[in-house]
Structures are given as structure tokens and as C-alpha cells.
Amino acid sequence: MIQIAPSILSADFGRISEEIAAVHEAGADWVHLDVMDGHFVPNLTFGPPLVARMEKPKGLVFDAHLMVTDPDPLIEGFAQAGCHRLTVHAEAPIHLHRTLSVVRSHGMQAGVSLNPATPVSALDWVLEEVELVLLMSVNPGFGGQRYIPQVTGKIRELADILAERGLAIPIQVDGGINTETIGEAAGAGATVFVAGTAVFGEPDYRAAISALRERAEAAVKPRRKDLG
Ligand code: DX5
Ligand code: ZN
């Protein structure tokens, strides 16, 4: 039930297909693609043409995270490039509900993301439209930042709302996830973990992914016991 999603933001872009194959072989569940437009966030990465050229190992989920002001014109391109999941920020499109239905109409699972300062209530009227909620645990734009501890309470708040409403939507956490922080995020109710530096910054990808998974699973077990 725990999914580890290495972010290629910290990978070697000159050997991107090899890097993706390496994390796949090392046990990654998803590969996380951080798309930045230099406007919604102060950094630029890549768009659909590059994703289309990435080799896609069988069984590896391609999970795009759009940190862009205007996602709508890019949705079709990412679907054609082979993405399985596409997450947009609640702060970005004017017509979030429509954007999410367009993502789904292109055969992808729709996700919605919140910046650290955006309250969970921003999602009240779109939760039925998504297959994932991504809570940012850093201000988006760069890898290698510190986990913002207040986000743990936000994960808990969202997990409670989802349980009350009977929605089995996974909570993904992104930013500053490492073996020190993954436990508290998992204990609060997150099940999908993006990790850039904590995977691609380590010499042994398999050991890094296993260590993250173990810490997350260890934190989830006591919570399951509480629930009886
Ligand atoms: C931040 C990105 C993250 C980031 C995570 O804008 O959305 O996916 O790459 O990197 P680490 O794990 O290094 O914080
Ligand atoms: Zn991301």
C-alpha cells in the first residue's frame, strides 16, 4: 500500500532513460515528473516532447506533477507522451473542476495539488473528481529543500476528511521526504511519497528505496492497530 515515487528532478538528465530504468529495477512504484514553467514556480524543467522520448519500463507508473500557471493546453501532450497520472495545482487553473475532467477525459488519473499555504478546504468541491491529492511539503520549484513540519497536521486533516466522506483517495506528499521525515508523513495518513534527493542523491537506489519503504511501513502499522 506504500508507493515510492522517485522524482527525476534530482536525476542525471543526460542519461534520463537509464536513470528511470535504474529506479524501476531498484523497486520504485512510480516515477515522478516535475514540470515547471518558470512562472508558477521560479524554475523551468521540461514538457511533453521530452517525456515522449523517455523509455517506459513496463509496470512503472509515469506520474506528472504540473507546476504551471496554465495546465490546460499541456494535458493532451502529456497523455500522448505516455503519462498515466497527471496532477495540477489547485492554485493554478481558473476552472479547476473543468481542468480535472479534461485530464480524466484523456485517460489519465487526475490529481490535485496544494501548496503548503493553501488550506485543505480548497478541495471541498473537487474531491469527487480526483484519484490523488498531492500535498506539497516544500514550496515548489526546487529539490533538496527541508520538509515543512506543519504539513503533517494538514495530512492528518485531509485523511480525516477523506475517511468521513468515504473516499479512498491516496494522499501523496512531495518535498523533503527522506528516512527522517517519511515516518511522520506516513503516520499521519500519506501513502505515496515523492523523493528526489533521497533516491537520486544516494549511491545505491535499491537501498534508498527500501529504507524509505521500511520507515513508512513501520509508521503505518501502529495507526492500523489504533483503527482496530
Ligand atoms: C519540488 C518538486 C519535488 C522535488 C522533490 O518543486 O515538486 O518533486 O523534486 O525533491 P526532494 O525530494 O529533493 O525534496
Ligand atoms: Zn513534484
Side-chain angles (χ1 to χ4, degrees):
M1 86 166 254
I2 298 292
Q3 320 277 355
I4 305 293
S7 163
I8 62 163
L9 196 57
S10 308
D12 179 348
F13 275 55
R15 312 168 32 249
I16 200 62
S17 287
E18 287 155 61
E19 290 275 71
I20 292 170
V23 287
H24 177 55
E25 279 154 30
D29 304 286
W30 300 6
V31 66
H32 185 78
L33 311 172
D34 284 311
V35 178
M36 305 184 184
D37 66 351
H39 185 74
F40 184 75
V41 290
N43 198 3
L44 266 175
T45 56
F46 50 82
L50 201 96
V51 177
R53 296 292 297 271
M54 293 170 187
E55 283 162 36
K56 314 264 172 348
K58 218 173 169 208
L60 183 64
V61 172
F62 275 64
D63 171 43
H65 173 199
L66 268 54
M67 287 158 276
V68 305
T69 304
D70 189 11
D72 295 29
L74 297 169
I75 294 171
E76 188 177 358
F78 280 109
Q80 282 173 359
C83 292
H84 305 97
R85 295 182 161 268
L86 189 125
T87 296
V88 298
H89 269 261
E91 302 88 356
I94 297 172
H95 301 290
L96 176 62
H97 186 282
R98 179 164 61 207
T99 300
L100 293 168
S101 51
V102 174
V103 172
R104 292 170 123 187
S105 75
H106 282 88
M108 296 180 289
Q109 307 251 292
V112 65
S113 180
L114 297 182
N115 283 330
T118 307
V120 169
S121 60
L123 302 179
D124 279 355
W125 301 100
V126 293
L127 282 177
E128 272 81 8
E129 309 303 319
V130 298
E131 279 91 18
L132 180 87
V133 177
L134 164 51
L135 295 183
M136 288 305 303
S137 41
V138 297
N139 288 293
F142 303 95
Q145 305 181 75
R146 260 176 207 276
Y147 180 87
I148 297 171
Q150 288 84 350
V151 173
T152 304
K154 196 171 168 186
I155 299 168
R156 208 171 285 123
E157 181 187 328
L158 175 61
D160 288 346
I161 291 168
L162 294 175
E164 268 165 36
R165 288 174 60 168
L167 296 168
I169 303 169
I171 302 174
Q172 183 179 44
V173 184
D174 185 1
I177 292 294
N178 54 41
T179 51
E180 302 295 310
T181 55
I182 196 168
E184 71 172 85
T191 56
V192 188
F193 301 92
V194 176
T197 316
V199 174
F200 285 107
E202 293 293 319
D204 182 340
Y205 296 168
R206 176 170 292 277
I209 291 169
S210 304
L212 289 169
R213 198 186 299 283
E214 272 164 33
R215 294 285 172 103
E217 278 168 359
V220 169
K221 271 182 204 138
R223 189 161 50 92
R224 283 214 198 103
K225 231 182 261 164
D226 286 353
L227 296 173

mmCIF file of all heavy atoms in Angstrom, residues 92-114:
data_model
loop_
_atom_site.group_PDB
_atom_site.id
_atom_site.type_symbol
_atom_site.label_atom_id
_atom_site.label_comp_id
_atom_site.label_asym_id
_atom_site.label_seq_id
_atom_site.Cartn_x
_atom_site.Cartn_y
_atom_site.Cartn_z
ATOM 1 N N ALA A 92 -3.670 26.976 -9.618
ATOM 2 C CA ALA A 92 -3.319 27.408 -10.979
ATOM 3 C C ALA A 92 -4.507 27.669 -11.915
ATOM 4 O O ALA A 92 -4.761 28.821 -12.257
ATOM 5 C CB ALA A 92 -2.328 26.432 -11.591
ATOM 6 N N PRO A 93 -5.238 26.656 -12.343
ATOM 7 C CA PRO A 93 -6.250 26.948 -13.367
ATOM 8 C C PRO A 93 -7.438 27.718 -12.785
ATOM 9 O O PRO A 93 -7.796 27.514 -11.622
ATOM 10 C CB PRO A 93 -6.698 25.567 -13.847
ATOM 11 C CG PRO A 93 -6.334 24.626 -12.773
ATOM 12 C CD PRO A 93 -5.258 25.246 -11.938
ATOM 13 N N ILE A 94 -8.052 28.567 -13.582
ATOM 14 C CA ILE A 94 -9.219 29.317 -13.120
ATOM 15 C C ILE A 94 -10.388 28.348 -12.942
ATOM 16 O O ILE A 94 -11.146 28.431 -11.997
ATOM 17 C CB ILE A 94 -9.574 30.436 -14.126
ATOM 18 C CG1 ILE A 94 -8.410 31.431 -14.189
ATOM 19 C CG2 ILE A 94 -10.877 31.149 -13.725
ATOM 20 C CD1 ILE A 94 -8.540 32.470 -15.286
ATOM 21 N N HIS A 95 -10.488 27.367 -13.861
ATOM 22 C CA HIS A 95 -11.606 26.419 -13.823
ATOM 23 C C HIS A 95 -11.080 25.030 -13.458
ATOM 24 O O HIS A 95 -11.015 24.132 -14.296
ATOM 25 C CB HIS A 95 -12.323 26.416 -15.174
ATOM 26 C CG HIS A 95 -12.840 27.775 -15.533
ATOM 27 N ND1 HIS A 95 -13.892 28.360 -14.872
ATOM 28 C CD2 HIS A 95 -12.408 28.679 -16.436
ATOM 29 C CE1 HIS A 95 -14.106 29.569 -15.368
ATOM 30 N NE2 HIS A 95 -13.219 29.785 -16.322
ATOM 31 N N LEU A 96 -10.691 24.897 -12.187
ATOM 32 C CA LEU A 96 -10.058 23.650 -11.725
ATOM 33 C C LEU A 96 -10.920 22.420 -12.011
ATOM 34 O O LEU A 96 -10.411 21.399 -12.476
ATOM 35 C CB LEU A 96 -9.773 23.760 -10.216
ATOM 36 C CG LEU A 96 -9.196 22.515 -9.546
ATOM 37 C CD1 LEU A 96 -7.829 22.150 -10.127
ATOM 38 C CD2 LEU A 96 -9.082 22.721 -8.027
ATOM 39 N N HIS A 97 -12.209 22.526 -11.749
ATOM 40 C CA HIS A 97 -13.095 21.380 -11.941
ATOM 41 C C HIS A 97 -13.048 20.912 -13.391
ATOM 42 O O HIS A 97 -12.921 19.721 -13.688
ATOM 43 C CB HIS A 97 -14.518 21.774 -11.511
ATOM 44 C CG HIS A 97 -15.485 20.639 -11.519
ATOM 45 N ND1 HIS A 97 -16.059 20.163 -12.670
ATOM 46 C CD2 HIS A 97 -15.960 19.880 -10.507
ATOM 47 C CE1 HIS A 97 -16.856 19.163 -12.360
ATOM 48 N NE2 HIS A 97 -16.811 18.966 -11.061
ATOM 49 N N ARG A 98 -13.101 21.874 -14.322
ATOM 50 C CA ARG A 98 -13.064 21.509 -15.744
ATOM 51 C C ARG A 98 -11.689 20.915 -16.112
ATOM 52 O O ARG A 98 -11.621 19.910 -16.829
ATOM 53 C CB ARG A 98 -13.351 22.725 -16.619
ATOM 54 C CG ARG A 98 -13.292 22.360 -18.106
ATOM 55 C CD ARG A 98 -13.941 23.394 -18.985
ATOM 56 N NE ARG A 98 -13.302 24.688 -18.876
ATOM 57 C CZ ARG A 98 -13.924 25.848 -19.095
ATOM 58 N NH1 ARG A 98 -15.188 25.871 -19.422
ATOM 59 N NH2 ARG A 98 -13.271 26.989 -18.997
ATOM 60 N N THR A 99 -10.632 21.514 -15.615
ATOM 61 C CA THR A 99 -9.286 21.001 -15.910
ATOM 62 C C THR A 99 -9.175 19.536 -15.495
ATOM 63 O O THR A 99 -8.661 18.701 -16.248
ATOM 64 C CB THR A 99 -8.224 21.855 -15.183
ATOM 65 O OG1 THR A 99 -8.337 23.196 -15.640
ATOM 66 C CG2 THR A 99 -6.816 21.338 -15.443
ATOM 67 N N LEU A 100 -9.689 19.207 -14.291
ATOM 68 C CA LEU A 100 -9.606 17.824 -13.805
ATOM 69 C C LEU A 100 -10.413 16.883 -14.693
ATOM 70 O O LEU A 100 -9.968 15.768 -14.994
ATOM 71 C CB LEU A 100 -10.091 17.746 -12.352
ATOM 72 C CG LEU A 100 -9.189 18.478 -11.339
ATOM 73 C CD1 LEU A 100 -9.877 18.608 -9.993
ATOM 74 C CD2 LEU A 100 -7.833 17.784 -11.199
ATOM 75 N N SER A 101 -11.561 17.327 -15.159
ATOM 76 C CA SER A 101 -12.329 16.419 -16.022
ATOM 77 C C SER A 101 -11.663 16.264 -17.384
ATOM 78 O O SER A 101 -11.737 15.195 -17.981
ATOM 79 C CB SER A 101 -13.807 16.808 -16.122
ATOM 80 O OG SER A 101 -13.928 18.146 -16.442
ATOM 81 N N VAL A 102 -10.947 17.296 -17.840
ATOM 82 C CA VAL A 102 -10.214 17.150 -19.105
ATOM 83 C C VAL A 102 -9.076 16.127 -18.936
ATOM 84 O O VAL A 102 -8.831 15.286 -19.809
ATOM 85 C CB VAL A 102 -9.675 18.523 -19.616
ATOM 86 C CG1 VAL A 102 -8.801 18.339 -20.845
ATOM 87 C CG2 VAL A 102 -10.829 19.471 -19.930
ATOM 88 N N VAL A 103 -8.404 16.165 -17.783
ATOM 89 C CA VAL A 103 -7.331 15.183 -17.518
ATOM 90 C C VAL A 103 -7.909 13.769 -17.625
ATOM 91 O O VAL A 103 -7.360 12.897 -18.311
ATOM 92 C CB VAL A 103 -6.706 15.397 -16.113
ATOM 93 C CG1 VAL A 103 -5.749 14.257 -15.764
ATOM 94 C CG2 VAL A 103 -5.986 16.748 -16.039
ATOM 95 N N ARG A 104 -9.049 13.556 -16.969
ATOM 96 C CA ARG A 104 -9.665 12.220 -16.990
ATOM 97 C C ARG A 104 -10.156 11.840 -18.380
ATOM 98 O O ARG A 104 -10.064 10.677 -18.772
ATOM 99 C CB ARG A 104 -10.834 12.178 -16.016
ATOM 100 C CG ARG A 104 -10.377 12.281 -14.580
ATOM 101 C CD ARG A 104 -11.550 12.481 -13.673
ATOM 102 N NE ARG A 104 -11.619 11.455 -12.647
ATOM 103 C CZ ARG A 104 -12.651 11.350 -11.809
ATOM 104 N NH1 ARG A 104 -13.687 12.155 -11.900
ATOM 105 N NH2 ARG A 104 -12.645 10.416 -10.896
ATOM 106 N N SER A 105 -10.638 12.821 -19.128
ATOM 107 C CA SER A 105 -11.152 12.501 -20.463
ATOM 108 C C SER A 105 -10.018 12.067 -21.405
ATOM 109 O O SER A 105 -10.274 11.466 -22.442
ATOM 110 C CB SER A 105 -11.908 13.702 -21.049
ATOM 111 O OG SER A 105 -10.994 14.685 -21.466
ATOM 112 N N HIS A 106 -8.767 12.363 -21.019
ATOM 113 C CA HIS A 106 -7.633 11.890 -21.813
ATOM 114 C C HIS A 106 -7.083 10.566 -21.290
ATOM 115 O O HIS A 106 -5.964 10.161 -21.635
ATOM 116 C CB HIS A 106 -6.528 12.950 -21.854
ATOM 117 C CG HIS A 106 -6.828 14.048 -22.820
ATOM 118 N ND1 HIS A 106 -7.541 15.176 -22.483
ATOM 119 C CD2 HIS A 106 -6.561 14.167 -24.150
ATOM 120 C CE1 HIS A 106 -7.689 15.953 -23.539
ATOM 121 N NE2 HIS A 106 -7.109 15.360 -24.566
ATOM 122 N N GLY A 107 -7.847 9.907 -20.416
ATOM 123 C CA GLY A 107 -7.487 8.556 -19.973
ATOM 124 C C GLY A 107 -6.444 8.517 -18.877
ATOM 125 O O GLY A 107 -5.900 7.451 -18.578
ATOM 126 N N MET A 108 -6.154 9.668 -18.262
ATOM 127 C CA MET A 108 -5.177 9.679 -17.168
ATOM 128 C C MET A 108 -5.921 9.791 -15.836
ATOM 129 O O MET A 108 -7.054 10.269 -15.787
ATOM 130 C CB MET A 108 -4.207 10.861 -17.318
ATOM 131 C CG MET A 108 -3.348 10.778 -18.579
ATOM 132 S SD MET A 108 -2.196 12.178 -18.745
ATOM 133 C CE MET A 108 -3.304 13.529 -19.144
ATOM 134 N N GLN A 109 -5.258 9.365 -14.771
ATOM 135 C CA GLN A 109 -5.798 9.561 -13.433
ATOM 136 C C GLN A 109 -5.501 11.006 -13.049
ATOM 137 O O GLN A 109 -4.370 11.477 -13.215
ATOM 138 C CB GLN A 109 -5.108 8.616 -12.450
ATOM 139 C CG GLN A 109 -5.158 7.164 -12.911
ATOM 140 C CD GLN A 109 -6.093 6.342 -12.072
ATOM 141 O OE1 GLN A 109 -5.839 6.097 -10.913
ATOM 142 N NE2 GLN A 109 -7.187 5.933 -12.675
ATOM 143 N N ALA A 110 -6.509 11.693 -12.528
ATOM 144 C CA ALA A 110 -6.338 13.108 -12.208
ATOM 145 C C ALA A 110 -5.923 13.288 -10.753
ATOM 146 O O ALA A 110 -6.468 12.657 -9.855
ATOM 147 C CB ALA A 110 -7.640 13.860 -12.466
ATOM 148 N N GLY A 111 -4.955 14.171 -10.556
ATOM 149 C CA GLY A 111 -4.538 14.521 -9.204
ATOM 150 C C GLY A 111 -4.644 16.019 -9.017
ATOM 151 O O GLY A 111 -4.582 16.790 -9.993
ATOM 152 N N VAL A 112 -4.817 16.431 -7.755
ATOM 153 C CA VAL A 112 -4.834 17.862 -7.460
ATOM 154 C C VAL A 112 -3.823 18.111 -6.345
ATOM 155 O O VAL A 112 -3.688 17.303 -5.431
ATOM 156 C CB VAL A 112 -6.258 18.342 -7.100
ATOM 157 C CG1 VAL A 112 -6.781 17.725 -5.817
ATOM 158 C CG2 VAL A 112 -6.313 19.863 -7.017
ATOM 159 N N SER A 113 -3.094 19.219 -6.470
ATOM 160 C CA SER A 113 -2.038 19.514 -5.502
ATOM 161 C C SER A 113 -2.278 20.836 -4.798
ATOM 162 O O SER A 113 -2.841 21.772 -5.378
ATOM 163 C CB SER A 113 -0.689 19.555 -6.234
ATOM 164 O OG SER A 113 0.344 19.843 -5.318
ATOM 165 N N LEU A 114 -1.824 20.902 -3.543
ATOM 166 C CA LEU A 114 -1.907 22.135 -2.760
ATOM 167 C C LEU A 114 -0.512 22.574 -2.325
ATOM 168 O O LEU A 114 0.265 21.764 -1.798
ATOM 169 C CB LEU A 114 -2.739 21.909 -1.492
ATOM 170 C CG LEU A 114 -4.209 21.522 -1.649
ATOM 171 C CD1 LEU A 114 -4.852 21.384 -0.272
ATOM 172 C CD2 LEU A 114 -4.960 22.548 -2.497
#
